[in-house]
Amino acid sequence: MVVWLLGEDGRRIRAVDPFVPTCYLAAPPSIREHVFRLLRRASCRISTREVERYELGAPRPISVLEVSVHAPAQFSSFTQHLIRACPDAQFFHVDVSLPQRYFYDRQLFPLVHCEADLTAEGRIQSIQALESPWDTDYGFPPLTIMELSPDSPSPNPNHGGHGLLVVRMDGEERLLEGDDADVIQRLNQLLVRQDPDILLTDWGDSYLLPRLMVMADRLRMPLALNRDPHRSVGTRKPHSYFSYGRILSHAGARTLSGRLHLDRHNSFALAETGLAGLIEQARVAKVDLQQMARTTTGAGITSMQLETACRDGLLIPYRKQEPEAFKSALELLHTDQGGLVFAPIVGYHEQVGELDFSSMYPSIMTRFNISPETVNCRCCRDEPTARVPEIGHHTCRHRQGLVPRTLAPLLDKRARYKRLMAAATQPAARTVLASGAQYTVNQDVVLPIGVSGPFYFLVRTDAFNQVYEHVYENNNDSSLGLALTNVNLTPPLITRPSNGAHASTKPCDSTPMRPPSSSKASATTSSPPCTRAASSVTSAARRVPAPARATRSHTPRSRSGSC
């Protein structure tokens, strides 16, 4: 297993850990000889032994054959060949991704602060975590980020409006101009020289990286998207799926080795929680960042359950499909009535209180020990305290289920985060403000080259024209109008000296006045004149100054209670 380490001295180290993944199979006596014959003919080195393992909720262990594959790269093809050749056998631990299996086995997680003992050849002799995924005061490693964006007039470049390639890093922005060969050459030079840890793209999965790779292949030119020269760019095809009455599309994925590729337009977690929130999810779920960015929160919870099962020595079945037990129409009427909604009393009311549940469904599952193996268990069927009111079901009172064991540390960490937010003194640390408090947001805005005139900062608001806060929208208690801020900015102009060299300009700074309370009012400021300063850059790349920055202030409503 290839592991990339960031040393305390700033070195990026490619190390190899001799990780040996295992799978399990249970075969009836009639095909055991056939299974052993296939194992003897395996194209990779394997080792086997008979062991006993528990299935989830089983009272006694079963005998299974443990198969260890000493070539992790061939694990998937080897297990799929066995599954096709032995349809009557039952397989376990074959469809969990190897990076997750590695995290489970080594008790590690993405971006963990760890201590590793390496040989001179880069082979890991030992590695151990120096922190826990349930810590709340951890720090982020000093990762370098390069941004790639299409300079396209269209909101979605897949729908037309192709433009130049914009590269941003360390506060500098470049427009890569010229023909395809010039663009590939200059981008490759930047990747080799800057060697970023993260490629943060706009439309990278569906547009940028596929087209750049096609251009490089057609021109037979190198393109160092991967830091690891021995690996190719991972590709997952786009697909469509049906969800809640809608047909949705997924742009697929382009994943890198040795560095991370994150697409802002193909990641719900990155768009909603930012890079810090994505890292937090990857730490607790033990899913690599590139996969976590392109999957759902539910997939992260599933990974946590798989890790709990591996830690407890439970077998993870391959594509297990366990249908729900049969219920009569009367049983369905009693047990599956849906949520109870009270109709509000029409009228104007004062002194209204609000009661909210904290993580309602996870708290219920943890409090009442609800898990597939604990519902209607054999050991508690006669205990009155285990009965669920009004229906003929019960939950176990003797052993904690897999789901509660998985959710308990997650709920505890959420509660600790809530307490830290409440105890924080700085508004920036709390993200919860007192009544009448203010905060200032600095927003970098990329302006079109050579275009002057008024620009509006559009702020997402709710039905009451208040700033929409997404996470904490439910616990605001005041009403304060917010107006659009109109800022008159003059973007820097690009000049070309007669000798063919390019020139860059100093950006303009503008701080608009705070808008008045009227929802239709606006404030206008004028930017100072631009000061031009020549700089030497390469002929194939034009250096664009840092974006003009404007500061917007508003007074959000104070928050109370918990969400």
Side-chain angles (χ1 to χ4, degrees):
M1 178 68 70
V2 176
V3 181
W4 282 87
L5 303 173
L6 174 57
E8 293 183 349
D9 57 358
R11 289 186 303 143
R12 275 67 176 171
I13 304 171
R14 182 185 186 271
V16 177
D17 192 340
F19 171 64
V20 180
T22 58
C23 65
Y24 303 88
L25 64 93
S30 59
I31 66 169
R32 288 181 67 85
E33 184 59 32
H34 174 60
V35 170
F36 282 109
R37 187 164 55 250
L38 289 173
L39 293 177
R40 288 192 296 267
R41 297 176 181 174
S43 58
C44 58
R45 180 191 167 199
I46 64 170
S47 58
T48 62
R49 63 170 182 160
E50 293 278 351
V51 296
E52 288 189 343
R53 293 288 187 270
Y54 280 90
E55 288 189 276
L56 181 63
R60 289 178 297 274
I62 62 174
S63 178
V64 292
L65 182 66
E66 181 185 81
V67 182
S68 301
V69 182
H70 295 264
Q74 302 183 41
F75 180 83
S76 178
S77 59
F78 169 76
T79 54
Q80 290 301 315
H81 173 70
L82 277 182
I83 292 172
R84 290 191 298 268
C86 305
D88 295 330
Q90 190 176 7
F91 291 86
F92 306 90
H93 289 249
V94 296
D95 53 353
V96 183
S97 72
L98 287 186
Q100 290 174 225
R101 290 282 301 276
Y102 177 79
F103 287 141
Y104 303 162
D105 183 78
R106 297 292 193 263
Q107 298 183 17
L108 301 173
F109 47 89
L111 302 184
V112 59
H113 184 209
C114 61
E115 183 178 46
D117 185 14
L118 306 179
T119 64
E121 295 78 19
R123 188 178 182 88
I124 296 178
Q125 294 182 318
S126 66
I127 184 170
Q128 60 181 357
L130 300 179
E131 59 182 357
S132 167
W134 307 112
D135 292 341
T136 56
D137 56 349
Y138 59 90
F140 294 155
L143 301 176
T144 57
I145 301 176
M146 176 182 287
E147 299 183 49
L148 300 180
S149 303
D151 184 27
S152 173
S154 173
N156 186 345
N158 291 289
H159 300 159
H162 301 169
L164 303 176
L165 178 63
V166 181
V167 182
R168 304 182 188 92
M169 190 168 184
D170 296 332
E172 293 185 356
E173 180 177 297
R174 296 172 181 265
L175 282 174
L176 301 191
E177 297 180 304
D179 56 19
D180 292 350
D182 291 334
V183 172
I184 295 297
Q185 180 184 6
R186 295 304 173 186
L187 177 59
N188 191 67
Q189 290 177 350
L190 289 173
L191 288 171
V192 173
R193 183 169 66 249
Q194 303 291 345
D195 193 22
D197 299 308
I198 299 177
L199 278 184
L200 186 61
T201 66
D202 292 308
W203 310 103
D205 285 331
S206 62
Y207 179 80
L208 274 185
L209 264 60
R211 281 158 177 77
L212 290 172
M213 293 166 60
V214 168
M215 289 165 54
D217 290 341
R218 176 171 51 84
L219 297 170
R220 301 180 183 272
M221 297 179 64
L223 183 59
L225 293 174
N226 277 339
R227 179 180 279 159
D228 191 339
H230 307 287
R231 302 287 299 275
S232 59
V233 175
T235 301
R236 193 169 63 209
K237 295 182 179 179
H239 62 277
S240 300
Y241 58 97
F242 186 82
S243 176
Y244 293 98
R246 298 186 302 167
I247 297 179
L248 305 175
S249 63
H250 191 278
R254 296 295 188 276
T255 54
L256 306 180
S257 299
R259 62 170 54 100
L260 304 173
H261 171 224
L262 306 177
D263 184 356
R264 280 181 286 223
H265 290 272
N266 195 31
S267 174
F268 174 82
L270 187 62
E272 295 295 327
T273 66
L275 183 59
L278 175 62
I279 292 175
E280 169 69 21
Q281 292 185 43
R283 285 170 60 96
V284 298
K286 297 192 175 181
V287 178
D288 71 272
L289 277 169
Q290 295 185 99
Q291 175 66 17
M292 193 71 245
R294 294 167 175 85
T295 190
T296 62
T297 305
I301 298 295
T302 299
S303 175
M304 295 173 61
Q305 293 177 348
L306 295 178
E307 194 236 342
T308 303
C310 288
R311 186 174 63 247
D312 296 344
L314 299 176
L315 293 172
I316 302 174
Y318 173 64
R319 293 183 178 178
K320 183 175 182 180
Q321 296 181 355
E322 185 175 352
E324 185 178 354
F326 176 79
K327 294 183 180 66
S328 66
L330 184 60
E331 288 176 320
L332 283 174
L333 180 63
H334 288 163
T335 61
D336 196 12
Q337 299 182 30
L340 177 61
V341 179
F342 291 97
I345 302 175
V346 179
Y348 174 78
H349 308 278
E350 295 182 348
Q351 304 294 326
V352 177
E354 180 181 2
L355 178 64
D356 191 14
F357 292 95
S358 178
S359 303
M360 182 174 69
Y361 288 123
S363 298
I364 291 176
M365 288 184 279
T366 304
R367 169 67 178 81
F368 296 100
N369 196 26
I370 299 177
S371 190
E373 77 279 19
T374 61
V375 175
N376 293 334
C377 64
R378 298 179 180 180
C379 57
C380 302
R381 64 178 61 181
D382 297 326
E383 292 191 20
T385 58
R387 311 293 294 182
V388 179
E390 300 183 11
I391 61 177
H393 294 286
H394 65 274
T395 57
C396 188
R397 288 296 181 266
H398 296 159
R399 57 181 178 179
Q400 190 180 29
L402 175 70
V403 173
R405 292 200 307 274
T406 302
L407 294 178
L410 192 63
L411 292 174
D412 175 71
K413 187 174 187 180
R414 184 180 188 274
R416 282 186 284 133
Y417 271 135
K418 287 284 189 178
R419 290 194 294 267
L420 288 173
M421 290 171 55
T425 58
Q426 296 297 325
R430 296 181 61 191
T431 320
V432 179
L433 305 181
S435 178
Q438 301 181 12
Y439 65 87
T440 299
V441 176
N442 293 327
Q443 180 69 45
D444 291 337
V445 182
V446 179
L447 302 178
I449 296 175
V451 178
S452 302
F455 292 87
Y456 287 91
F457 290 113
L458 301 181
V459 181
R460 185 179 180 186
T461 60
D462 56 19
F464 303 100
N465 198 31
Q466 307 302 316
V467 177
Y468 183 77
E469 300 167 294
H470 181 66
V471 178
Y472 303 106
E473 179 66 10
N474 295 329
N475 54 5
N476 299 324
D477 57 18
S478 67
S479 178
L480 181 67
L482 178 69
L484 293 180
T485 301
N486 174 257
V487 184
N488 190 18
L489 298 178
T490 303
L493 301 178
I494 301 299
T495 60
R496 295 179 181 270
S498 58
N499 59 4
H502 295 285
S504 65
T505 62
K506 182 178 180 181
C508 301
D509 294 332
S510 178
T511 303
M513 297 186 301
R514 183 183 174 192
S517 58
S518 172
S519 61
K520 296 183 179 180
S522 64
T524 305
T525 61
S526 299
S527 61
C530 292
T531 303
R532 297 179 181 176
S535 70
S536 175
V537 294
T538 58
S539 59
R542 183 173 65 204
R543 178 170 299 188
V544 180
R549 174 171 291 182
T551 302
R552 171 173 55 83
S553 300
H554 65 83
T555 304
R557 296 164 289 172
S558 63
R559 308 183 179 102
S560 60
S562 62
C563 66

